[in-house]
Coordinates of all heavy atoms in Angstrom, one line a residue:
D346 N 6.9 -82.4 -35.5 CA 8.1 -82.6 -34.8 C 8.1 -84.0 -34.2 O 7.1 -84.4 -33.5 CB 8.4 -81.6 -33.7 CG 8.9 -80.2 -34.3 OD1 9.5 -80.3 -35.4 OD2 8.6 -79.2 -33.7
V347 N 9.2 -84.7 -34.4 CA 9.3 -86.2 -33.9 C 10.2 -86.2 -32.6 O 11.1 -85.5 -32.6 CB 9.9 -87.0 -35.0 CG1 10.1 -88.5 -34.5 CG2 9.0 -87.0 -36.2
M348 N 9.7 -87.0 -31.7 CA 10.5 -87.1 -30.5 C 11.9 -87.7 -30.8 O 12.1 -88.6 -31.6 CB 9.8 -88.1 -29.5 CG 8.5 -87.5 -28.9 SD 7.7 -88.6 -27.7 CE 7.2 -89.9 -28.8
K349 N 12.9 -87.1 -30.2 CA 14.3 -87.5 -30.4 C 14.5 -88.9 -29.7 O 14.0 -89.2 -28.6 CB 15.3 -86.5 -29.7 CG 16.7 -86.6 -30.3 CD 16.8 -85.7 -31.5 CE 18.3 -85.6 -31.8 NZ 18.5 -84.8 -33.1
L350 N 15.1 -89.8 -30.5 CA 15.3 -91.1 -29.9 C 16.3 -91.1 -28.8 O 17.3 -90.4 -28.9 CB 15.7 -92.1 -31.0 CG 14.7 -92.4 -32.1 CD1 15.4 -93.2 -33.2 CD2 13.5 -93.1 -31.6
D351 N 16.1 -91.9 -27.7 CA 16.9 -91.9 -26.5 C 18.0 -92.9 -26.7 O 17.8 -94.1 -26.9 CB 16.0 -92.3 -25.3 CG 16.8 -92.2 -24.0 OD1 18.0 -92.6 -24.0 OD2 16.2 -91.7 -23.0
D352 N 19.3 -92.4 -26.7 CA 20.4 -93.3 -27.0 C 20.6 -94.3 -25.9 O 21.0 -95.5 -26.3 CB 21.7 -92.4 -27.0 CG 21.9 -91.6 -28.3 OD1 21.2 -92.0 -29.3 OD2 22.5 -90.5 -28.2
N353 N 20.2 -94.1 -24.7 CA 20.3 -95.1 -23.6 C 19.3 -96.2 -23.9 O 19.7 -97.4 -23.6 CB 20.1 -94.4 -22.3 CG 21.2 -93.5 -21.8 OD1 22.4 -93.8 -22.2 ND2 20.9 -92.5 -21.1
K354 N 18.1 -95.8 -24.3 CA 17.1 -96.9 -24.6 C 17.5 -97.8 -25.8 O 17.4 -99.0 -25.8 CB 15.8 -96.3 -24.8 CG 15.1 -95.7 -23.6 CD 13.7 -95.1 -23.9 CE 13.1 -94.6 -22.6 NZ 11.8 -94.0 -22.9
I355 N 18.1 -97.1 -26.8 CA 18.6 -97.8 -27.9 C 19.7 -98.8 -27.5 O 19.8 -99.9 -28.0 CB 19.1 -96.9 -29.1 CG1 17.9 -96.1 -29.6 CG2 19.7 -97.7 -30.2 CD1 18.3 -95.0 -30.6
A356 N 20.7 -98.3 -26.7 CA 21.7 -99.1 -26.2 C 21.2 -100.4 -25.4 O 21.7 -101.5 -25.7 CB 22.7 -98.3 -25.3
K357 N 20.2 -100.2 -24.6 CA 19.6 -101.3 -24.0 C 18.9 -102.3 -24.9 O 18.9 -103.5 -24.8 CB 18.6 -100.9 -22.9 CG 19.2 -100.1 -21.7 CD 18.2 -99.6 -20.7 CE 18.8 -98.9 -19.6 NZ 17.8 -98.4 -18.6
L358 N 18.2 -101.7 -26.0 CA 17.6 -102.5 -26.9 C 18.5 -103.4 -27.7 O 18.3 -104.6 -27.9 CB 16.8 -101.6 -27.9 CG 16.1 -102.3 -29.1 CD1 15.0 -103.2 -28.6 CD2 15.6 -101.3 -30.1
I359 N 19.6 -102.8 -28.2 CA 20.5 -103.6 -29.0 C 21.4 -104.5 -28.2 O 22.0 -105.5 -28.8 CB 21.4 -102.7 -29.9 CG1 22.4 -101.8 -29.0 CG2 20.6 -101.8 -30.7 CD1 23.3 -100.9 -29.8
A360 N 21.4 -104.3 -26.9 CA 22.2 -105.3 -26.0 C 21.3 -106.5 -25.7 O 21.8 -107.5 -25.2 CB 22.6 -104.6 -24.8
K361 N 20.0 -106.4 -25.9 CA 19.1 -107.5 -25.5 C 19.1 -108.5 -26.6 O 18.9 -108.3 -27.8 CB 17.7 -106.9 -25.4 CG 16.7 -107.9 -24.9 CD 15.3 -107.3 -24.7 CE 14.3 -108.3 -24.2 NZ 12.9 -107.7 -24.1
P362 N 19.4 -109.8 -26.2 CA 19.3 -110.9 -27.2 C 17.9 -111.1 -27.8 O 16.9 -110.9 -27.1 CB 19.7 -112.1 -26.3 CG 20.3 -111.7 -25.1 CD 19.7 -110.3 -24.8
W363 N 17.9 -111.3 -29.1 CA 16.6 -111.5 -29.8 C 16.4 -112.8 -30.5 O 15.3 -113.3 -30.7 CB 16.4 -110.4 -30.8 CG 17.4 -110.4 -31.9 CD1 18.6 -109.7 -31.9 CD2 17.4 -111.1 -33.1 NE1 19.3 -109.9 -33.1 CE2 18.6 -110.8 -33.9 CE3 16.5 -111.9 -33.8 CZ2 18.9 -111.3 -35.1 CZ3 16.8 -112.5 -35.0 CH2 17.9 -112.2 -35.6
A364 N 17.5 -113.6 -30.7 CA 17.5 -114.8 -31.4 C 17.2 -116.0 -30.4 O 17.4 -115.8 -29.2 CB 18.7 -115.1 -32.2
P365 N 16.7 -117.1 -30.9 CA 16.5 -118.2 -30.0 C 17.6 -118.7 -29.2 O 17.5 -119.3 -28.1 CB 16.0 -119.4 -31.0 CG 15.4 -118.6 -32.2 CD 16.3 -117.4 -32.3
D366 N 18.9 -118.5 -29.7 CA 20.1 -119.0 -29.0 C 20.4 -118.2 -27.8 O 21.3 -118.4 -27.0 CB 21.2 -119.1 -29.9 CG 21.7 -117.8 -30.5 OD1 21.1 -116.8 -30.2 OD2 22.6 -117.8 -31.3
G367 N 19.7 -117.0 -27.6 CA 19.9 -116.2 -26.4 C 21.1 -115.3 -26.5 O 21.5 -114.8 -25.5
Q368 N 21.7 -115.2 -27.7 CA 23.0 -114.3 -27.8 C 22.7 -113.1 -28.5 O 21.8 -113.0 -29.4 CB 24.0 -115.1 -28.6 CG 24.6 -116.3 -27.8 CD 25.8 -116.9 -28.6 OE1 25.8 -117.1 -29.8 NE2 26.8 -117.3 -27.8
N369 N 23.4 -112.0 -28.1 CA 23.3 -110.8 -28.9 C 24.5 -110.7 -29.8 O 25.3 -111.5 -29.8 CB 23.2 -109.5 -27.9 CG 24.4 -109.4 -27.1 OD1 25.4 -110.0 -27.3 ND2 24.3 -108.5 -26.1
F370 N 24.6 -109.6 -30.5 CA 25.6 -109.5 -31.5 C 27.0 -109.5 -30.9 O 28.0 -110.0 -31.4 CB 25.4 -108.3 -32.4 CG 25.6 -107.0 -31.8 CD1 26.8 -106.4 -31.6 CD2 24.5 -106.3 -31.3 CE1 27.0 -105.2 -31.0 CE2 24.6 -105.0 -30.7 CZ 25.9 -104.5 -30.5
S371 N 27.1 -108.9 -29.7 CA 28.4 -108.8 -29.0 C 28.9 -110.1 -28.6 O 30.1 -110.5 -28.8 CB 28.3 -107.9 -27.8 OG 29.5 -107.8 -27.1
S372 N 28.0 -111.0 -28.1 CA 28.4 -112.3 -27.6 C 28.8 -113.2 -28.9 O 29.7 -114.0 -28.8 CB 27.3 -113.0 -26.9 OG 26.1 -113.1 -27.5
R373 N 28.1 -112.9 -30.0 CA 28.4 -113.6 -31.3 C 29.8 -113.3 -31.8 O 30.6 -114.1 -32.3 CB 27.4 -113.4 -32.3 CG 26.1 -114.1 -32.0 CD 25.1 -114.0 -33.3 NE 23.9 -114.7 -33.0 CZ 22.8 -114.2 -32.4 NH1 22.8 -113.0 -32.0 NH2 21.8 -115.0 -32.2
I374 N 30.2 -112.0 -31.7 CA 31.5 -111.5 -32.1 C 32.6 -112.2 -31.2 O 33.6 -112.7 -31.7 CB 31.6 -110.0 -32.1 CG1 30.7 -109.4 -33.2 CG2 33.1 -109.6 -32.4 CD1 30.6 -107.9 -33.1
W375 N 32.3 -112.2 -29.9 CA 33.2 -112.8 -29.0 C 33.4 -114.3 -29.3 O 34.5 -114.8 -29.2 CB 32.8 -112.6 -27.5 CG 33.2 -111.3 -26.9 CD1 32.5 -110.2 -26.8 CD2 34.5 -111.0 -26.4 NE1 33.2 -109.2 -26.2 CE2 34.5 -109.7 -25.9 CE3 35.7 -111.7 -26.3 CZ2 35.6 -109.1 -25.4 CZ3 36.8 -111.1 -25.7 CH2 36.7 -109.8 -25.3
R376 N 32.3 -114.9 -29.6 CA 32.3 -116.4 -29.9 C 33.2 -116.6 -31.1 O 34.0 -117.5 -31.1 CB 30.9 -116.8 -30.1 CG 30.8 -118.3 -30.5 CD 29.4 -118.6 -31.1 NE 29.2 -117.8 -32.4 CZ 28.1 -117.6 -33.0 NH1 27.0 -118.1 -32.4 NH2 28.0 -116.9 -34.1
D377 N 32.9 -115.9 -32.2 CA 33.7 -116.1 -33.4 C 35.1 -115.7 -33.2 O 36.0 -116.4 -33.8 CB 33.1 -115.2 -34.5 CG 31.7 -115.6 -34.9 OD1 31.3 -116.8 -34.6 OD2 30.9 -114.8 -35.5
K378 N 35.4 -114.7 -32.4 CA 36.8 -114.3 -32.2 C 37.5 -115.4 -31.4 O 38.6 -115.9 -31.8 CB 36.9 -113.0 -31.4 CG 38.3 -112.7 -30.9 CD 38.2 -111.6 -29.8 CE 39.5 -111.6 -29.1 NZ 39.5 -110.6 -28.0
N379 N 37.0 -115.9 -30.4 CA 37.6 -117.0 -29.5 C 37.8 -118.2 -30.4 O 38.8 -118.9 -30.2 CB 36.8 -117.2 -28.3 CG 36.8 -116.1 -27.3 OD1 37.7 -115.3 -27.3 ND2 35.8 -116.0 -26.5
K380 N 36.9 -118.5 -31.2 CA 37.0 -119.7 -32.1 C 38.2 -119.6 -33.0 O 39.0 -120.5 -33.2 CB 35.7 -119.9 -32.8 CG 35.6 -121.3 -33.5 CD 34.3 -121.5 -34.1 CE 34.1 -122.9 -34.7 NZ 32.8 -123.2 -35.3
L381 N 38.3 -118.3 -33.6 CA 39.4 -118.2 -34.5 C 40.8 -118.1 -33.8 O 41.8 -118.6 -34.3 CB 39.2 -116.9 -35.3 CG 40.2 -116.6 -36.5 CD1 40.1 -117.7 -37.5 CD2 39.9 -115.2 -37.1
M382 N 40.8 -117.5 -32.6 CA 42.0 -117.5 -31.7 C 42.5 -118.8 -31.5 O 43.7 -119.1 -31.3 CB 41.7 -116.7 -30.5 CG 41.7 -115.2 -30.5 SD 43.4 -114.6 -30.6 CE 43.2 -113.0 -29.8

Side-chain angles (χ1 to χ4, degrees):
D346 282 334
V347 178
M348 290 182 291
K349 200 87 170 176
L350 295 173
D351 188 317
D352 287 335
N353 291 328
K354 288 183 179 179
I355 295 175
K357 290 179 182 178
L358 173 68
I359 64 179
K361 185 179 179 181
W363 60 270
D366 63 3
Q368 291 188 318
N369 64 10
F370 68 82
S371 181
S372 59
R373 286 190 176 86
I374 294 174
W375 275 101
R376 177 199 64 195
D377 293 343
K378 170 194 165 185
N379 290 335
K380 193 172 182 181
L381 189 60
M382 278 284 212

